[in-house]
Amino acid sequence: MNLVSHYYSSFHNSMPNPIKMVLNVLFFPIAIFGAIMAAVKGHPQESPIWQMSHEELAESFSFEIEKGDPNRDALLPVQVGLEAHIKSSEWLAVADIIEGFDRSRASLPSGTRFMRPLLNGVWANMVSRALPEYDPAACEPVSVNALPNSQIENFVSAAQAHPDRIGLQCLAAWMRLEMGWIRRGGDYVDFSGDDAFQEFDYHIKAAWDLTKDIDAQSVNSPLVAEIRYRCKAAGGATGLADLEKAHAEWVALDPKNMEAFSLHGMFLLPRWYGSYDAVADAAQTACAAHHTNTGLASYAATYLGAIELDHAAMIGLNLGLFKDGLLDMTERAKNPSAALNAVCARLYDICTRTYAITGKGEEKQIVAHKKVLKIILKKFIRQGMGTVTPAIWEPRWSELEVPYLLAEAFEDEIIAGQHVYLDHMGATISQP
């Protein structure tokens, strides 16, 4: 089988750009952080696998490709329908869709809750129309002149016209949150002026005002609780205790939502509201509180959010609990294969990025932890990977890189001249 599916490439390239933007955030915890994309990504060049041409690798390594993307297949019809209702100003239908998925706690096949990519898709669609050349990875502030506030006025007006519809309040608040972050330029922006921060604060406060009087528990809305948490995390919290209270309210409504733990792990870093000890404590607490329903998944999710943004957080990581937690995350997803593809893509991203580290002792510990993470990653691929879905690896990795990433796990066999084939039954290794 060819390393790259022509069917997959042609289908993906033919998709409308706004939908591609939706797919690109399916497994990101949140779109507001440019930190991950700002780090330096490099391939593990010490592996001889990367010195092989595509043709040479194809002779030794092949795999069964899952055509399309189960996440996209689940999301796309809903996204298209929602956008059609928005375009026609059918706001009650918009509210019905959002409220329905919110109450159901519906997830994509890989395990991500449906709501975040759905609402991020609305935002991405709006931005792509207004700013076709905008690159979210650039982490540059976008001024009012470039993207006027009027671009989201229809969402705000709809919320004002239907104050009893939770879905419309949440949609308007979500757009406010994203507008605030794009004004600031993300978190790793090189420079944001006073005007950018004033606009940021204005939109975060406006998002808070839209949901502050809604009792998330009584209306059974994890989305309301999430937005309130995001508002607190964006500067509205009076301190760590206030942020943790908002997080507890969110998790109480949706304890199986791994993004809730992952996002909290990021905001518990020293650069925000906490410390590395706070991350470790939160991961242990989450594990103890939710072990019955999610195993160790909440532990792994908390640390994933932290170490993606700050490798120094690895020092407090229990690698055994982390490995078992990642397995719990994948096994509890609707589609374990899709979930494993997503987890492996994230782990590779962590293992191959370099961050500025202060202190030689700290650096040695991080290097040691990353080596163990790479061992865990290879074990997942060797023992758990079945069919491969290249679309799930994006945007972290291109479809041409995926074969090399997977083949690294079988480096010894490939260098020895053996052939490795991955399919739904796992890995088959044959002699030349």
Side-chain angles (χ1 to χ4, degrees), residues 131-355:
L131 294 174
E133 302 304 318
Y134 172 68
D135 178 12
C139 297
E140 296 177 354
V142 177
S143 70
V144 175
N145 291 332
L147 185 68
N149 289 335
S150 58
Q151 290 291 333
I152 61 171
E153 185 57 39
N154 58 330
F155 302 103
V156 177
S157 297
Q160 293 171 341
H162 304 281
D164 59 325
R165 296 308 301 264
I166 303 302
L168 296 180
Q169 309 308 309
C170 288
L171 177 59
W174 196 275
M175 301 298 278
R176 286 287 197 188
L177 279 165
E178 296 302 324
M179 186 66 85
W181 281 105
I182 203 172
R183 290 281 184 260
R184 178 172 166 173
D187 183 42
Y188 262 75
V189 61
D190 290 333
F191 175 78
S192 291
D194 290 342
D195 290 346
F197 274 102
Q198 288 174 6
E199 278 288 312
F200 172 76
D201 291 339
Y202 165 72
H203 285 289
I204 301 303
K205 184 179 184 300
W208 173 259
D209 288 341
L210 283 160
T211 58
K212 68 178 181 180
D213 296 325
I214 303 173
D215 186 333
Q217 185 74 41
S218 65
V219 298
N220 188 28
S221 176
L223 181 57
V224 169
E226 176 177 358
I227 289 171
R228 289 166 62 89
Y229 174 84
R230 285 188 60 190
C231 290
K232 292 280 188 180
T238 56
L240 179 58
D242 193 22
L243 184 70
E244 289 180 331
K245 182 174 182 288
H247 183 253
E249 292 171 354
W250 181 11
V251 171
L253 282 164
D254 197 3
K256 296 182 180 180
N257 184 352
M258 291 301 105
E259 290 94 351
F261 297 101
S262 186
L263 186 60
H264 194 48
M266 288 192 287
F267 281 115
L268 288 177
L269 291 169
R271 58 196 309 258
W272 291 103
Y273 288 93
S275 63
Y276 299 129
D277 287 341
V279 174
D281 290 344
Q284 291 285 356
T285 300
C287 176
H290 303 287
H291 187 273
T292 300
N293 292 323
T294 62
L296 296 170
S298 58
Y299 179 91
T302 302
Y303 260 109
L304 262 182
I307 66 178
E308 281 182 319
L309 199 64
D310 186 346
H311 280 186
M314 288 185 196
I315 295 173
L317 177 62
N318 183 313
L319 290 160
L321 294 180
F322 187 66
K323 174 182 70 67
D324 292 343
L326 293 175
L327 289 175
D328 284 337
M329 285 175 63
T330 60
E331 291 170 357
R332 284 168 167 76
K334 290 182 180 179
N335 185 330
S337 176
L340 185 62
N341 273 262
V343 164
C344 288
R346 293 180 80 173
L347 282 181
Y348 256 121
D349 200 55
I350 293 168
C351 290
T352 58
R353 289 184 181 275
T354 56
Y355 290 75

Side-chain angles (χ1 to χ4, degrees), residues 416-430:
Q418 297 173 310
H419 184 270
V420 180
Y421 176 65
L422 280 174
D423 64 9
H424 61 283
M425 298 297 291
T428 300
I429 301 172
S430 57

